[in-house]
Protein backbone atom coordinates (compact mmCIF):
# COMPACT_ATOMS: atom_id res chain seq x y z
CA UNK A 1 0.00 0.00 0.00
CA UNK A 2 2.76 2.45 0.89
CA UNK A 3 4.56 1.72 -2.38
CA UNK A 4 1.33 2.29 -4.34
CA UNK A 5 0.89 5.64 -2.59
CA UNK A 6 4.41 6.71 -3.52
CA UNK A 7 3.93 5.59 -7.14
CA UNK A 8 0.70 7.61 -7.33
CA UNK A 9 2.54 10.67 -6.02
CA UNK A 10 5.30 10.21 -8.60
CA UNK A 11 2.70 9.93 -11.38
CA UNK A 12 1.01 13.11 -10.12
CA UNK A 13 4.37 14.87 -10.15
CA UNK A 14 4.89 13.84 -13.77
CA UNK A 15 1.39 14.98 -14.68
CA UNK A 16 1.93 18.36 -13.01
CA UNK A 17 5.18 18.91 -14.91
CA UNK A 18 3.49 17.95 -18.16
CA UNK A 19 0.66 20.40 -17.50
CA UNK A 20 3.15 23.13 -16.54
CA UNK A 21 2.02 23.18 -12.88
CA UNK A 22 5.58 23.52 -11.66
CA UNK A 23 4.83 24.80 -8.16
CA UNK A 24 2.49 21.88 -7.56
CA UNK A 25 5.06 19.48 -8.99
CA UNK A 26 7.82 20.80 -6.72
CA UNK A 27 5.51 20.67 -3.70
CA UNK A 28 4.51 17.08 -4.42
CA UNK A 29 8.15 16.17 -4.98
CA UNK A 30 9.10 17.48 -1.55
CA UNK A 31 6.13 15.67 0.01
CA UNK A 32 7.08 12.40 -1.71
CA UNK A 33 10.69 12.56 -0.53
CA UNK A 34 9.64 13.38 3.04
CA UNK A 35 7.05 10.60 3.07
CA UNK A 36 9.56 8.13 1.64
CA UNK A 37 12.06 8.83 4.40
CA UNK A 38 9.48 8.97 7.21
CA UNK A 39 8.18 5.54 6.20
CA UNK A 40 11.56 4.03 5.41
CA UNK A 41 13.34 5.20 8.57
CA UNK A 42 10.59 3.84 10.81
CA UNK A 43 8.78 6.95 12.04
CA UNK A 44 5.47 6.26 10.27
CA UNK A 45 5.27 2.49 10.95
CA UNK A 46 6.30 3.01 14.57
CA UNK A 47 3.39 5.42 15.09
CA UNK A 48 0.89 3.24 13.21
CA UNK A 49 1.88 0.11 15.13
CA UNK A 50 1.73 1.88 18.48
CA UNK A 51 -1.83 3.04 17.84
CA UNK A 52 -2.90 -0.49 16.93
CA UNK A 53 -1.08 -2.36 19.68
CA UNK A 54 -0.83 -0.07 22.70
CA UNK A 55 -3.91 -1.53 24.42
CA UNK A 56 -2.42 -5.03 24.24
CA UNK A 57 1.08 -4.47 25.56
CA UNK A 58 0.38 -6.44 28.74
CA UNK A 59 -0.87 -9.99 28.39
CA UNK A 60 -3.91 -10.60 30.62
CA UNK A 61 -3.53 -12.77 33.68
CA UNK A 62 -6.25 -15.26 32.90
CA UNK A 63 -8.37 -16.57 35.74
CA UNK A 64 -9.85 -19.73 34.30
CA UNK A 65 -13.57 -20.33 34.80
CA UNK A 66 -15.52 -23.59 34.85
CA UNK A 67 -15.84 -23.51 31.03
CA UNK A 68 -13.14 -22.02 28.78
CA UNK A 69 -12.50 -21.76 25.06
CA UNK A 70 -9.42 -20.36 23.31
CA UNK A 71 -10.17 -19.09 19.80
CA UNK A 72 -7.03 -19.27 17.67
CA UNK A 73 -7.08 -17.18 14.49
CA UNK A 74 -5.10 -18.22 11.43
CA UNK A 75 -2.29 -16.21 9.86
CA UNK A 76 -2.01 -18.13 6.61
CA UNK A 77 0.04 -21.12 5.48
CA UNK A 78 3.06 -21.67 3.24
CA UNK A 79 3.90 -24.57 0.95
CA UNK A 80 7.55 -25.65 0.99
CA UNK A 81 8.67 -25.73 -2.67
CA UNK A 82 11.01 -28.71 -2.37
CA UNK A 83 8.68 -30.99 -0.41
CA UNK A 84 5.16 -29.73 -0.98
CA UNK A 85 4.54 -29.76 2.77
CA UNK A 86 2.21 -27.11 4.15
CA UNK A 87 3.38 -25.30 7.28
CA UNK A 88 2.48 -22.24 9.36
CA UNK A 89 4.15 -18.99 8.24
CA UNK A 90 6.33 -16.77 10.40
CA UNK A 91 3.48 -14.81 11.99
CA UNK A 92 1.58 -17.96 13.00
CA UNK A 93 4.18 -19.55 15.28
CA UNK A 94 3.64 -17.18 18.18
CA UNK A 95 -0.11 -17.75 18.06
CA UNK A 96 0.28 -21.53 18.02
CA UNK A 97 2.82 -21.63 20.84
CA UNK A 98 0.88 -19.18 23.03
CA UNK A 99 -2.30 -21.20 22.49
CA UNK A 100 -0.51 -24.35 23.63
CA UNK A 101 0.90 -22.55 26.69
CA UNK A 102 -2.47 -21.14 27.72
CA UNK A 103 -4.22 -24.46 27.13
CA UNK A 104 -1.76 -26.22 29.43
CA UNK A 105 -2.29 -23.54 32.07
CA UNK A 106 -6.05 -23.95 31.75
CA UNK A 107 -5.80 -27.75 31.85
CA UNK A 108 -3.70 -27.63 35.02
CA UNK A 109 -6.47 -25.61 36.68
CA UNK A 110 -8.72 -28.71 36.29
CA UNK A 111 -11.35 -26.74 34.37
CA UNK A 112 -13.03 -27.49 31.04
CA UNK A 113 -10.79 -26.24 28.22
CA UNK A 114 -11.52 -26.13 24.48
CA UNK A 115 -9.66 -24.70 21.49
CA UNK A 116 -11.39 -23.50 18.32
CA UNK A 117 -8.94 -23.08 15.41
CA UNK A 118 -10.38 -20.80 12.74
CA UNK A 119 -8.87 -20.53 9.28
CA UNK A 120 -9.47 -21.87 5.78
CA UNK A 121 -7.14 -22.05 2.79
CA UNK A 122 -7.10 -18.57 1.19
CA UNK A 123 -3.64 -19.25 -0.28
CA UNK A 124 -4.87 -22.43 -2.02
CA UNK A 125 -2.06 -24.54 -0.61
CA UNK A 126 -4.25 -27.62 -0.34
CA UNK A 127 -4.70 -27.63 3.45
CA UNK A 128 -6.63 -25.32 5.74
CA UNK A 129 -4.92 -23.17 8.33
CA UNK A 130 -7.08 -24.89 10.96
CA UNK A 131 -5.79 -28.35 10.07
CA UNK A 132 -2.15 -27.28 9.81
CA UNK A 133 -2.25 -25.49 13.17
CA UNK A 134 -4.07 -28.42 14.78
CA UNK A 135 -1.27 -30.78 13.76
CA UNK A 136 1.32 -28.46 15.26
CA UNK A 137 -0.65 -28.12 18.48
CA UNK A 138 -0.83 -31.90 18.74
CA UNK A 139 2.97 -32.00 18.40
CA UNK A 140 3.14 -29.49 21.25
CA UNK A 141 1.16 -31.80 23.51
CA UNK A 142 -2.40 -30.52 23.09
CA UNK A 143 -4.92 -33.40 22.82
CA UNK A 144 -6.73 -33.48 19.49
CA UNK A 145 -10.02 -34.23 21.26
CA UNK A 146 -10.17 -30.74 22.81
CA UNK A 147 -9.77 -28.97 19.45
CA UNK A 148 -12.49 -27.98 17.00
CA UNK A 149 -11.38 -26.87 13.53
CA UNK A 150 -13.20 -24.27 11.47
CA UNK A 151 -11.67 -24.78 7.97
CA UNK A 152 -13.84 -22.53 5.79
CA UNK A 153 -13.15 -18.90 6.73
CA UNK A 154 -11.04 -16.87 4.30
CA UNK A 155 -10.72 -13.65 6.31
CA UNK A 156 -11.15 -12.22 9.80
CA UNK A 157 -14.81 -11.38 9.28
CA UNK A 158 -15.55 -15.00 8.40
CA UNK A 159 -13.41 -16.14 11.35
CA UNK A 160 -15.90 -14.38 13.61
CA UNK A 161 -18.99 -15.38 11.66
CA UNK A 162 -18.15 -19.09 11.43
CA UNK A 163 -16.85 -19.29 15.00
CA UNK A 164 -20.20 -18.01 16.21
CA UNK A 165 -21.94 -20.78 14.25
CA UNK A 166 -19.83 -23.36 16.09
CA UNK A 167 -20.53 -21.84 19.48
CA UNK A 168 -24.30 -21.69 19.01
CA UNK A 169 -24.73 -25.07 17.29
CA UNK A 170 -22.30 -27.36 19.10
CA UNK A 171 -23.93 -28.97 22.16
CA UNK A 172 -20.54 -29.08 23.92
CA UNK A 173 -20.75 -25.31 24.31
CA UNK A 174 -24.17 -25.21 25.94
CA UNK A 175 -22.61 -24.71 29.42
CA UNK A 176 -20.97 -21.54 28.08
CA UNK A 177 -24.26 -19.70 28.42
CA UNK A 178 -23.61 -19.73 32.15
CA UNK A 179 -21.96 -16.88 34.01
CA UNK A 180 -18.85 -18.88 34.89
CA UNK A 181 -17.47 -19.09 31.33
CA UNK A 182 -14.78 -17.24 29.40
CA UNK A 183 -13.54 -17.10 25.84
CA UNK A 184 -10.05 -15.98 24.84
CA UNK A 185 -9.27 -14.48 21.43
CA UNK A 186 -5.73 -15.45 20.43
CA UNK A 187 -3.98 -13.57 17.65
CA UNK A 188 -1.18 -11.07 17.04
CA UNK A 189 -1.28 -7.69 18.79
CA UNK A 190 -1.34 -6.05 15.35
CA UNK A 191 -4.50 -7.98 14.50
CA UNK A 192 -6.36 -7.74 17.80
CA UNK A 193 -8.16 -4.40 17.47
CA UNK A 194 -9.86 -5.37 14.21
CA UNK A 195 -10.49 -8.93 15.41
CA UNK A 196 -12.15 -7.71 18.60
CA UNK A 197 -14.39 -5.41 16.56
CA UNK A 198 -15.54 -8.21 14.27
CA UNK A 199 -16.00 -10.82 17.01
CA UNK A 200 -17.98 -8.39 19.16
CA UNK A 201 -20.23 -7.76 16.15
CA UNK A 202 -21.07 -11.47 16.13
CA UNK A 203 -21.69 -11.55 19.88
CA UNK A 204 -18.37 -13.11 20.92
CA UNK A 205 -17.07 -10.84 23.67
CA UNK A 206 -13.78 -12.62 24.18
CA UNK A 207 -10.76 -11.62 26.24
CA UNK A 208 -8.10 -10.32 23.78
CA UNK A 209 -4.76 -12.09 24.16
CA UNK A 210 -1.77 -11.10 22.07
CA UNK A 211 0.57 -13.83 20.92
CA UNK A 212 3.24 -11.51 19.51
CA UNK A 213 4.07 -7.82 19.30
CA UNK A 214 5.65 -5.90 16.41
CA UNK A 215 7.98 -2.94 16.72
CA UNK A 216 10.40 -1.06 14.49
CA UNK A 217 13.48 0.98 15.36
CA UNK A 218 13.98 4.44 13.91
CA UNK A 219 17.11 4.59 11.74
CA UNK A 220 18.81 7.13 9.53
CA UNK A 221 18.58 4.99 6.41
CA UNK A 222 15.30 3.69 4.93
CA UNK A 223 14.73 -0.06 5.18
CA UNK A 224 12.42 -2.46 3.38
CA UNK A 225 11.35 -3.85 6.76
CA UNK A 226 9.87 -0.48 7.70
CA UNK A 227 7.89 -0.37 4.46
CA UNK A 228 6.61 -3.91 5.07
CA UNK A 229 5.45 -3.06 8.61
CA UNK A 230 3.74 0.07 7.28
CA UNK A 231 1.77 -2.09 4.85
CA UNK A 232 0.82 -4.57 7.60
CA UNK A 233 -0.47 -1.71 9.74
CA UNK A 234 -2.35 -0.02 6.88
CA UNK A 235 -4.06 -3.33 6.10
CA UNK A 236 -5.45 -3.37 9.64
CA UNK A 237 -6.59 0.26 9.49
CA UNK A 238 -8.38 -0.33 6.20
CA UNK A 239 -10.20 -3.35 7.63
CA UNK A 240 -11.06 -1.47 10.83
CA UNK A 241 -12.56 1.60 9.17
CA UNK A 242 -14.22 -0.44 6.43
CA UNK A 243 -16.35 -2.02 9.17
CA UNK A 244 -17.82 1.37 10.13
CA UNK A 245 -18.33 2.41 6.51
CA UNK A 246 -20.13 -0.87 5.78
CA UNK A 247 -22.27 -0.39 8.90
CA UNK A 248 -23.20 3.09 7.77
CA UNK A 249 -24.12 1.77 4.32
CA UNK A 250 -26.03 -1.20 5.79
CA UNK A 251 -23.75 -3.73 4.11
CA UNK A 252 -22.70 -5.65 7.24
CA UNK A 253 -24.68 -8.59 8.54
CA UNK A 254 -26.96 -7.65 11.46
CA UNK A 255 -25.18 -7.41 14.80
CA UNK A 256 -25.68 -10.54 16.90
CA UNK A 257 -26.52 -10.90 20.57
CA UNK A 258 -23.88 -12.29 22.93
CA UNK A 259 -23.23 -16.02 22.62
CA UNK A 260 -22.11 -16.33 26.22
CA UNK A 261 -20.76 -14.18 29.00
CA UNK A 262 -17.04 -13.67 29.60
CA UNK A 263 -16.18 -12.68 33.15
Amino acid sequence: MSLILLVILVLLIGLCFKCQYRKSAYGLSILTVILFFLIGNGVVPRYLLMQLQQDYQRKPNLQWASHNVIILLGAGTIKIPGTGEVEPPLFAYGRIVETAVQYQDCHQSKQECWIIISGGDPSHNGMSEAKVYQDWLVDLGVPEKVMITEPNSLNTWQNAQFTRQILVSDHDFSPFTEQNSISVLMTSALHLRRSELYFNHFGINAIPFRADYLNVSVSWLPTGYAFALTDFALHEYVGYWRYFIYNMMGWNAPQQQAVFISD
Side-chain angles (χ1 to χ4, degrees), residues 72-78 87-100 117-118 129-130 132-134 136-137 140 186-188 211-212:
L72 169 59
L73 301 188
T77 58
I78 56 171
E87 297 182 4
L90 177 63
F91 283 114
Y93 285 106
R95 304 183 191 187
I96 294 170
V97 171
E98 193 65 62
T99 297
I117 312 170
S118 180
E129 298 168 5
V132 173
Y133 296 10
Q134 182 187 45
W136 280 68
L137 285 167
L140 290 173
M186 182 69 69
T187 187
S188 305
D212 52 69

Short mmCIF file of all heavy atoms in Angstrom, two decimals, residues 72-78 87-100 117-118 129-130 132-134 136-137 140 186-188 211-212:
data_model
loop_
_atom_site.label_atom_id
_atom_site.label_comp_id
_atom_site.label_asym_id
_atom_site.label_seq_id
_atom_site.Cartn_x
_atom_site.Cartn_y
_atom_site.Cartn_z
N LEU A 72 -8.29 -19.54 18.35
CA LEU A 72 -7.03 -19.27 17.67
C LEU A 72 -7.31 -18.86 16.22
O LEU A 72 -7.90 -19.63 15.46
CB LEU A 72 -6.14 -20.52 17.70
CG LEU A 72 -4.89 -20.52 16.82
CD1 LEU A 72 -3.97 -19.36 17.18
CD2 LEU A 72 -4.16 -21.86 16.95
N LEU A 73 -6.86 -17.67 15.84
CA LEU A 73 -7.08 -17.18 14.49
C LEU A 73 -5.88 -17.48 13.60
O LEU A 73 -4.72 -17.34 14.02
CB LEU A 73 -7.33 -15.67 14.50
CG LEU A 73 -8.53 -15.19 15.33
CD1 LEU A 73 -8.77 -13.70 15.09
CD2 LEU A 73 -9.78 -15.99 15.00
N GLY A 74 -6.15 -17.87 12.36
CA GLY A 74 -5.10 -18.22 11.43
C GLY A 74 -4.35 -17.00 10.91
O GLY A 74 -4.86 -15.88 10.89
N ALA A 75 -3.12 -17.26 10.47
CA ALA A 75 -2.29 -16.21 9.86
C ALA A 75 -1.73 -16.69 8.53
O ALA A 75 -0.68 -16.25 8.09
CB ALA A 75 -1.15 -15.83 10.81
N GLY A 76 -2.44 -17.62 7.90
CA GLY A 76 -2.01 -18.13 6.61
C GLY A 76 -1.23 -19.43 6.72
O GLY A 76 -1.01 -19.97 7.81
N THR A 77 -0.82 -19.94 5.57
CA THR A 77 0.04 -21.12 5.48
C THR A 77 1.04 -20.89 4.36
O THR A 77 0.87 -20.00 3.52
CB THR A 77 -0.76 -22.41 5.17
OG1 THR A 77 -1.47 -22.22 3.93
CG2 THR A 77 -1.74 -22.74 6.28
N ILE A 78 2.09 -21.69 4.34
CA ILE A 78 3.06 -21.67 3.24
C ILE A 78 3.31 -23.10 2.78
O ILE A 78 3.25 -24.04 3.59
CB ILE A 78 4.39 -21.01 3.65
CG1 ILE A 78 4.99 -21.71 4.89
CG2 ILE A 78 4.22 -19.53 3.92
CD1 ILE A 78 6.40 -21.26 5.21
N GLU A 87 2.99 -25.66 5.92
CA GLU A 87 3.38 -25.30 7.28
C GLU A 87 2.84 -23.92 7.65
O GLU A 87 2.44 -23.14 6.77
CB GLU A 87 4.91 -25.30 7.42
CG GLU A 87 5.56 -26.65 7.18
CD GLU A 87 7.07 -26.58 7.38
OE1 GLU A 87 7.58 -25.50 7.77
OE2 GLU A 87 7.73 -27.61 7.15
N PRO A 88 2.85 -23.60 8.94
CA PRO A 88 2.48 -22.24 9.36
C PRO A 88 3.54 -21.25 8.90
O PRO A 88 4.73 -21.59 8.85
CB PRO A 88 2.43 -22.33 10.89
CG PRO A 88 2.39 -23.78 11.20
CD PRO A 88 3.09 -24.48 10.10
N PRO A 89 3.17 -20.01 8.58
CA PRO A 89 4.15 -18.99 8.24
C PRO A 89 4.73 -18.36 9.50
O PRO A 89 4.36 -18.71 10.62
CB PRO A 89 3.33 -17.98 7.44
CG PRO A 89 1.97 -18.08 8.06
CD PRO A 89 1.80 -19.52 8.46
N LEU A 90 5.62 -17.40 9.28
CA LEU A 90 6.33 -16.77 10.40
C LEU A 90 5.39 -16.21 11.46
O LEU A 90 5.57 -16.43 12.65
CB LEU A 90 7.22 -15.65 9.85
CG LEU A 90 8.00 -14.82 10.88
CD1 LEU A 90 8.99 -15.70 11.63
CD2 LEU A 90 8.72 -13.67 10.20
N PHE A 91 4.34 -15.49 11.04
CA PHE A 91 3.48 -14.81 11.99
C PHE A 91 2.56 -15.76 12.75
O PHE A 91 1.90 -15.36 13.70
CB PHE A 91 2.63 -13.75 11.29
CG PHE A 91 3.39 -12.50 10.96
CD1 PHE A 91 3.62 -12.13 9.65
CD2 PHE A 91 3.89 -11.70 11.97
CE1 PHE A 91 4.33 -10.98 9.34
CE2 PHE A 91 4.60 -10.55 11.68
CZ PHE A 91 4.83 -10.19 10.37
N ALA A 92 2.49 -17.02 12.35
CA ALA A 92 1.58 -17.96 13.00
C ALA A 92 2.22 -18.66 14.20
O ALA A 92 1.51 -19.13 15.09
CB ALA A 92 1.10 -19.01 12.01
N TYR A 93 3.54 -18.75 14.23
CA TYR A 93 4.18 -19.55 15.28
C TYR A 93 3.87 -19.04 16.68
O TYR A 93 3.60 -19.81 17.59
CB TYR A 93 5.70 -19.59 15.04
CG TYR A 93 6.09 -20.50 13.91
CD1 TYR A 93 6.50 -19.98 12.69
CD2 TYR A 93 6.04 -21.88 14.04
CE1 TYR A 93 6.86 -20.80 11.63
CE2 TYR A 93 6.40 -22.71 13.00
CZ TYR A 93 6.80 -22.17 11.79
OH TYR A 93 7.14 -22.99 10.75
N GLY A 94 3.93 -17.73 16.86
CA GLY A 94 3.64 -17.18 18.18
C GLY A 94 2.24 -17.51 18.63
O GLY A 94 2.01 -17.83 19.81
N ARG A 95 1.28 -17.44 17.72
CA ARG A 95 -0.11 -17.75 18.06
C ARG A 95 -0.26 -19.22 18.47
O ARG A 95 -0.98 -19.53 19.43
CB ARG A 95 -1.02 -17.45 16.86
CG ARG A 95 -0.93 -16.03 16.33
CD ARG A 95 -1.91 -15.80 15.19
NE ARG A 95 -1.67 -14.53 14.50
CZ ARG A 95 -2.43 -14.02 13.57
NH1 ARG A 95 -3.52 -14.67 13.17
NH2 ARG A 95 -2.14 -12.87 13.00
N ILE A 96 0.38 -20.10 17.73
CA ILE A 96 0.28 -21.53 18.02
C ILE A 96 0.91 -21.85 19.37
O ILE A 96 0.32 -22.55 20.21
CB ILE A 96 0.93 -22.35 16.89
CG1 ILE A 96 0.14 -22.17 15.59
CG2 ILE A 96 1.02 -23.82 17.27
CD1 ILE A 96 0.84 -22.74 14.37
N VAL A 97 2.11 -21.34 19.58
CA VAL A 97 2.82 -21.63 20.84
C VAL A 97 2.06 -21.05 22.02
O VAL A 97 1.89 -21.72 23.06
CB VAL A 97 4.26 -21.08 20.78
CG1 VAL A 97 4.92 -21.17 22.16
CG2 VAL A 97 5.08 -21.84 19.75
N GLU A 98 1.59 -19.81 21.92
CA GLU A 98 0.88 -19.18 23.03
C GLU A 98 -0.42 -19.91 23.32
O GLU A 98 -0.84 -20.03 24.48
CB GLU A 98 0.61 -17.72 22.72
CG GLU A 98 0.15 -16.90 23.91
CD GLU A 98 1.21 -16.78 25.00
OE1 GLU A 98 2.28 -16.23 24.73
OE2 GLU A 98 0.94 -17.29 26.12
N THR A 99 -1.08 -20.41 22.28
CA THR A 99 -2.30 -21.20 22.49
C THR A 99 -1.99 -22.46 23.27
O THR A 99 -2.72 -22.83 24.20
CB THR A 99 -2.94 -21.56 21.14
OG1 THR A 99 -3.34 -20.36 20.47
CG2 THR A 99 -4.16 -22.45 21.33
N ALA A 100 -0.90 -23.13 22.92
CA ALA A 100 -0.51 -24.35 23.63
C ALA A 100 -0.17 -24.03 25.09
O ALA A 100 -0.57 -24.78 26.00
CB ALA A 100 0.69 -25.00 22.95
N ILE A 117 -9.95 -23.58 16.36
CA ILE A 117 -8.94 -23.08 15.41
C ILE A 117 -9.68 -22.64 14.16
O ILE A 117 -10.29 -23.46 13.47
CB ILE A 117 -7.90 -24.15 15.07
CG1 ILE A 117 -7.38 -24.82 16.34
CG2 ILE A 117 -6.76 -23.53 14.28
CD1 ILE A 117 -6.54 -26.04 16.08
N SER A 118 -9.61 -21.35 13.85
CA SER A 118 -10.38 -20.80 12.74
C SER A 118 -9.46 -20.35 11.61
O SER A 118 -8.60 -19.49 11.80
CB SER A 118 -11.24 -19.62 13.21
OG SER A 118 -11.98 -19.08 12.14
N GLU A 129 -5.69 -23.64 7.19
CA GLU A 129 -4.92 -23.17 8.33
C GLU A 129 -5.31 -23.95 9.59
O GLU A 129 -4.43 -24.31 10.39
CB GLU A 129 -5.18 -21.68 8.55
CG GLU A 129 -4.77 -20.79 7.40
CD GLU A 129 -5.30 -19.38 7.52
OE1 GLU A 129 -5.93 -19.06 8.55
OE2 GLU A 129 -5.10 -18.60 6.58
N ALA A 130 -6.60 -24.19 9.76
CA ALA A 130 -7.08 -24.89 10.96
C ALA A 130 -6.44 -26.25 11.11
O ALA A 130 -5.99 -26.64 12.20
CB ALA A 130 -8.60 -25.01 10.92
N VAL A 132 -3.60 -27.40 9.63
CA VAL A 132 -2.15 -27.28 9.81
C VAL A 132 -1.81 -26.92 11.25
O VAL A 132 -0.94 -27.52 11.88
CB VAL A 132 -1.58 -26.22 8.84
CG1 VAL A 132 -0.10 -25.97 9.13
CG2 VAL A 132 -1.76 -26.67 7.39
N TYR A 133 -2.53 -25.94 11.80
CA TYR A 133 -2.25 -25.49 13.17
C TYR A 133 -2.61 -26.59 14.17
O TYR A 133 -1.94 -26.76 15.19
CB TYR A 133 -3.03 -24.22 13.49
CG TYR A 133 -2.66 -23.01 12.67
CD1 TYR A 133 -1.83 -23.11 11.55
CD2 TYR A 133 -3.16 -21.76 12.98
CE1 TYR A 133 -1.51 -22.01 10.79
CE2 TYR A 133 -2.85 -20.64 12.22
CZ TYR A 133 -2.03 -20.78 11.12
OH TYR A 133 -1.72 -19.67 10.37
N GLN A 134 -3.68 -27.32 13.89
CA GLN A 134 -4.07 -28.42 14.78
C GLN A 134 -2.95 -29.45 14.88
O GLN A 134 -2.61 -29.92 15.98
CB GLN A 134 -5.34 -29.08 14.28
CG GLN A 134 -5.83 -30.21 15.18
CD GLN A 134 -7.00 -30.97 14.57
OE1 GLN A 134 -6.99 -31.30 13.38
NE2 GLN A 134 -8.03 -31.21 15.37
N TRP A 136 0.21 -29.01 14.49
CA TRP A 136 1.32 -28.46 15.26
C TRP A 136 0.99 -28.41 16.75
O TRP A 136 1.86 -28.67 17.59
CB TRP A 136 1.69 -27.07 14.74
CG TRP A 136 2.53 -27.14 13.50
CD1 TRP A 136 2.14 -27.59 12.27
CD2 TRP A 136 3.90 -26.79 13.38
NE1 TRP A 136 3.18 -27.53 11.38
CE2 TRP A 136 4.28 -27.04 12.03
CE3 TRP A 136 4.86 -26.28 14.25
CZ2 TRP A 136 5.57 -26.80 11.55
CZ3 TRP A 136 6.13 -26.04 13.77
CH2 TRP A 136 6.49 -26.29 12.45
N LEU A 137 -0.25 -28.11 17.07
CA LEU A 137 -0.65 -28.12 18.48
C LEU A 137 -0.58 -29.52 19.07
O LEU A 137 -0.18 -29.70 20.23
CB LEU A 137 -2.06 -27.55 18.62
CG LEU A 137 -2.17 -26.02 18.49
CD1 LEU A 137 -3.63 -25.60 18.34
CD2 LEU A 137 -1.54 -25.33 19.70
N LEU A 140 2.76 -30.22 20.04
CA LEU A 140 3.14 -29.49 21.25
C LEU A 140 2.45 -30.04 22.50
O LEU A 140 2.58 -29.46 23.58
CB LEU A 140 2.79 -28.01 21.09
CG LEU A 140 3.64 -27.23 20.08
CD1 LEU A 140 3.09 -25.82 19.88
CD2 LEU A 140 5.10 -27.16 20.54
N MET A 186 -7.18 -15.36 20.56
CA MET A 186 -5.73 -15.45 20.43
C MET A 186 -5.29 -15.07 19.02
O MET A 186 -5.63 -15.74 18.04
CB MET A 186 -5.27 -16.88 20.73
CG MET A 186 -3.77 -17.09 20.68
SD MET A 186 -2.90 -16.25 22.03
CE MET A 186 -3.46 -17.24 23.44
N THR A 187 -4.54 -13.98 18.93
CA THR A 187 -3.98 -13.57 17.65
C THR A 187 -2.83 -12.61 17.92
O THR A 187 -2.45 -12.37 19.07
CB THR A 187 -5.05 -12.95 16.74
OG1 THR A 187 -4.50 -12.73 15.44
CG2 THR A 187 -5.59 -11.64 17.30
N SER A 188 -2.27 -12.02 16.88
CA SER A 188 -1.18 -11.07 17.04
C SER A 188 -1.70 -9.73 17.55
O SER A 188 -2.85 -9.36 17.26
CB SER A 188 -0.47 -10.86 15.70
OG SER A 188 -0.03 -12.09 15.15
N ALA A 211 -0.45 -12.79 20.98
CA ALA A 211 0.57 -13.83 20.92
C ALA A 211 1.94 -13.24 20.61
O ALA A 211 2.96 -13.77 21.04
CB ALA A 211 0.20 -14.86 19.85
N ASP A 212 1.97 -12.15 19.88
CA ASP A 212 3.24 -11.51 19.51
C ASP A 212 3.02 -10.01 19.39
O ASP A 212 1.89 -9.53 19.37
CB ASP A 212 3.79 -12.09 18.21
CG ASP A 212 2.75 -12.07 17.08
OD1 ASP A 212 2.42 -10.97 16.62
OD2 ASP A 212 2.28 -13.15 16.69
#
